[in-house]
Amino acid sequence: KTGDVAWNFTMKGVGSGRKRILSTPAVDEGRVYFGAYDGVVYALNKKDGRIVWTCEDADWVGSSPVISEPLGLVYIGLEFGLFGKKGGIVALDKKTGREVWKDTFKGLTHCTPAYSEKHNIVVIGSNCGTVRCFDAKNGKVLWSITVPAEVRGGITVDEKRGYALFGCYDSNLYILSLKNGETIHTYKCFFPIYSTPLVEGGRVVFASLDKIVYCLNLETLALEWKFETQGRIFASPILAEDKVMIGSNDGRLYELDPQTGNNTSIFQATERIVNKIAYNPKTKRFFVPTFANEIYALVKRETS
């Protein structure tokens, strides 16, 4: 409401180099969940920031948590400094932090997992190019595929069509079958993809380090439109007030028409916008973090 600090919390360890907290928190039932580069997954009390529980199984945690309400689990990627075991995924009891199941990868796992309640699965990728689908409850591997480069951004599930969608450092957007991991379609960009795709209204909107926002029709798999910014795009798109909102390294927050890609509004920040923004539909406020350690609270100006 005001931007005043309600509480703050400092992670227990020192982290890795300058990397401290890259994980985007998840808030659920009065708790804040996130990972940090001291190797700890934290659950804090939302009211005062006190530690509820910690899981200290990793060397670093850069992945962001995803929560299953029906199963009461928190899924998050892990990173290790071990030969042959550099990454993994763990499912934690969201109330206690107890490990329910886990799996490991040969590569670091920055990727944020995707959870589907409808299909009862969790999908995650890693820097070794392995993308794996698990039974969400017990961690059984349902399928595993390998792509030619790192999968660092998040994975998105298209519930209606049964697709898993993600960007890769080989510059391709991949669309896979949730059933067996079969490749349905790929789309080649000019540079690697870090951004997490947005699925909405029969389309997928995604961005690349080539500075371009793309939109594919998920029925025809044809490109519907693309929009070029003035900076590389690490941020992920969201849908707010029936518009696509995405930040760029040019310091601008863009509002795009999801059907045409037309730019309908711009906010210029002082620094790069590398993270997905947040939106509160009740207050109609947009929250925009920047690379200058700022958070903007914005309201859309009405125009005649």
Side-chain angles (χ1 to χ4, degrees), residues 209-212 227-233 248-252 254 266 268:
L209 299 184
D210 61 16
K211 308 180 183 180
I212 298 174
F227 174 81
E228 187 168 0
T229 72
Q230 300 302 307
R232 300 192 186 280
I233 306 175
S248 170
N249 273 21
D250 59 13
R252 291 179 176 178
Y254 292 91
I266 286 177
Q268 180 69 61

Side-chain angles (χ1 to χ4, degrees), residues 3-293:
D4 293 336
V5 176
W7 52 262
N8 61 48
F9 171 82
T10 302
M11 54 192 261
K12 296 168 68 175
V14 296
S16 174
R18 295 181 60 190
K19 295 178 180 179
R20 301 292 188 258
I21 302 172
L22 274 72
S23 179
T24 298
V27 181
D28 178 72
E29 293 186 349
R31 292 180 182 177
V32 179
Y33 303 91
F34 65 96
Y37 264 74
D38 59 356
V40 180
V41 181
Y42 293 92
L44 307 182
N45 185 296
K46 187 179 75 170
K47 290 184 178 180
D48 55 23
R50 288 183 298 105
I51 291 178
V52 178
W53 55 256
T54 62
C55 172
E56 304 181 22
D57 185 46
D59 292 312
W60 315 287
V61 184
S63 175
S64 300
V66 171
I67 295 171
S68 165
E69 292 288 352
L71 300 177
L73 298 177
V74 179
Y75 307 100
I76 193 167
L78 306 176
E79 299 168 43
F80 305 97
L82 302 173
F83 180 77
K85 176 191 171 184
K86 292 186 176 295
I89 180 175
V90 66
L92 303 171
D93 185 296
K94 71 175 187 175
K95 291 184 178 179
T96 66
R98 177 183 62 86
E99 179 188 301
V100 176
W101 61 262
K102 70 177 178 182
D103 194 45
T104 59
F105 294 87
K106 291 183 179 179
L108 297 171
T109 308
H110 305 298
C111 182
T112 294
Y115 164 69
S116 169
E117 179 180 346
K118 177 180 178 181
H119 298 279
N120 188 42
I121 54 91
V122 173
V123 186
I124 193 169
S126 73
N127 283 15
C128 59
T130 299
V131 178
R132 205 167 282 162
C133 180
F134 303 90
D135 182 292
K137 186 175 182 179
N138 59 33
K140 178 183 177 182
V141 177
L142 303 178
W143 53 259
S144 181
I145 64 123
T146 300
V147 292
E150 302 100 312
V151 179
R152 295 191 177 189
I155 294 180
T156 300
V157 169
D158 179 355
E159 299 275 13
K160 180 179 178 181
R161 296 164 191 82
Y163 292 163
L165 304 95
F166 60 90
C168 179
Y169 262 53
D170 69 353
S171 305
N172 279 297
L173 174 82
Y174 285 84
I175 303 177
L176 306 183
S177 166
L178 279 179
K179 185 177 181 181
N180 54 21
E182 178 185 346
T183 299
I184 304 296
H185 187 67
T186 62
Y187 184 87
K188 185 77 170 181
C189 300
F190 297 104
F191 278 88
I193 301 172
Y194 187 89
S195 175
T196 301
L198 168 69
V199 171
E200 184 63 39
R203 301 178 179 89
V204 56
V205 178
F206 60 100
S208 166
L209 299 184
D210 61 16
K211 308 180 183 180
I212 298 174
V213 183
Y214 298 86
C215 176
L216 293 184
N217 184 300
L218 284 171
E219 296 296 337
T220 65
L221 300 176
L223 180 70
E224 288 201 351
W225 55 259
K226 60 181 180 179
F227 174 81
E228 187 168 0
T229 72
Q230 300 302 307
R232 300 192 186 280
I233 306 175
F234 290 88
S236 301
I238 71 165
L239 192 77
E241 298 186 5
D242 298 320
K243 300 288 187 181
V244 173
M245 311 291 292
I246 189 168
S248 170
N249 273 21
D250 59 13
R252 291 179 176 178
L253 174 66
Y254 292 91
E255 178 189 84
L256 306 177
D257 185 306
Q259 296 186 35
T260 65
N262 290 338
N263 182 201
T264 51
S265 185
I266 286 177
F267 171 75
Q268 180 69 61
T270 57
E271 248 285 7
R272 292 160 283 179
I273 302 170
V274 297
N275 232 12
K276 182 169 69 173
I277 72 162
Y279 175 67
N280 185 335
K282 292 182 179 179
T283 63
K284 296 186 180 299
R285 290 191 177 187
F286 299 86
F287 299 94
V288 183
T290 77
F291 205 72
N293 301 323

